[in-house]
Amino acid sequence: MTERVSLPLLCAGLLLLAGCGGAPAATSAPVSSPPVETVQAAPSPSPTPVATHTPTPTPSPTETAAAAETELPVETPADPGWTALDTGSSFGRTSGTGGALVVYDVQADEDGLTVTLAPLPNEADVTAFQEAEETLPAGTIEYWSDAGALVLKLENTVLSSGEIGGDDWLHDFLREGGLEYPMSTPMGVVPGNCPDFEKAAISSDGANTTISLIPLGGMTEYQVTSLGVDGLTVSFRLALQ
């Protein structure tokens, strides 16, 4: 009896499987065709990235920005402002560049300490003076709290120039510039008086010059101001407030 029941069920199952198998075959054909269409549709998005690449003129703003950055240093030879008395600072040329200078004159007055410099009287140092981008020598300022002194150091700067060395044209050129060589500044007390500091002193080790002064009570800041070039001399002022 079980054998008679299982045969019709088996036949029905085979018919269902055959019917199910036929349907997928019919559907599989349309399914395969849409993928072909979607694959063909894929090329159409590809032009869109090309459109996005077209606005690559964006580097030009970057170049403009870079150009603006290079212009900034030219636009900012601004006044460095005032520096706290106990803070070190530097100014002038990059250390180790430019020719040697001699202290042509140094004076203390009501505005501060004024230093005037000139090139050593030889062709190499005169040429270096004229070609230097920064005419002031490399200088540093430190406050020595133990001594209560503000100390200014000028690199490659001496107090005695020596005689003019070189061809006759150099003698004439320097004299036409209003400079009389040899020139020298004595070591010791700087002449003049300033209401902002006690006596200032100047000295040299033969390669660098040092100027030290003692600020009076109430002075909390200092400032170095370039006074510019006058022919073959350059000067600056150290002031306190």
Side-chain angles (χ1 to χ4, degrees):
M1 190 164 180
T2 49
E3 291 179 5
R4 291 178 186 174
V5 175
S6 59
L7 279 173
L9 287 174
L10 181 59
C11 292
L14 288 171
L15 287 172
L16 284 173
L17 286 173
C20 292
T27 50
S28 61
V31 171
S32 58
S33 60
V36 177
E37 292 181 46
T38 41
V39 173
Q40 288 175 345
S44 61
S46 66
T48 44
V50 179
T52 12
H53 280 286
T54 338
T56 45
T58 41
S60 60
T62 321
E63 290 169 11
T64 316
E69 284 178 8
T70 49
E71 290 172 9
L72 283 177
V74 183
E75 295 173 1
T76 44
D79 185 89
W82 294 88
T83 304
L85 194 64
D86 58 355
T87 304
S89 66
S90 60
F91 61 89
R93 306 171 187 163
T94 304
S95 179
T97 63
L101 299 172
V102 59
V103 176
Y104 178 69
D105 185 51
V106 57
Q107 294 286 334
D109 57 33
E110 60 180 8
D111 295 323
L113 182 79
T114 303
V115 181
T116 304
L117 306 138
L120 288 186
N122 61 72
E123 187 173 353
D125 289 317
V126 170
T127 303
F129 177 83
Q130 292 177 309
E131 292 178 349
E133 294 181 8
E134 293 286 346
T135 48
L136 292 178
T140 59
I141 299 179
E142 297 177 354
Y143 182 68
W144 294 3
S145 54
D146 293 345
L150 198 63
V151 179
L152 167 68
K153 292 183 179 180
L154 300 173
E155 181 183 288
N156 205 12
T157 302
V158 296
L159 297 181
S160 298
S161 69
E163 298 285 347
I164 299 176
D167 299 331
D168 291 341
W169 72 265
L170 186 61
H171 292 245
D172 298 337
F173 177 74
L174 293 174
R175 297 262 156 71
E176 286 170 6
L179 300 179
E180 292 295 328
Y181 292 93
M183 61 178 68
S184 64
T185 296
M187 289 198 209
V189 177
V190 172
N193 294 290
C194 178
D196 300 328
F197 57 82
E198 294 184 22
K199 61 182 180 182
I202 186 169
S203 63
S204 174
D205 60 6
N208 307 291
T209 292
T210 300
I211 303 173
S212 55
L213 51 89
I214 301 175
L216 292 174
M219 298 295 109
T220 59
E221 296 176 315
Y222 67 87
Q223 182 186 50
V224 174
T225 305
S226 173
L227 302 179
V229 181
D230 182 12
L232 285 174
T233 64
V234 59
S235 56
F236 67 91
R237 178 179 293 121
L238 172 62
L240 294 165
Q241 72 171 8

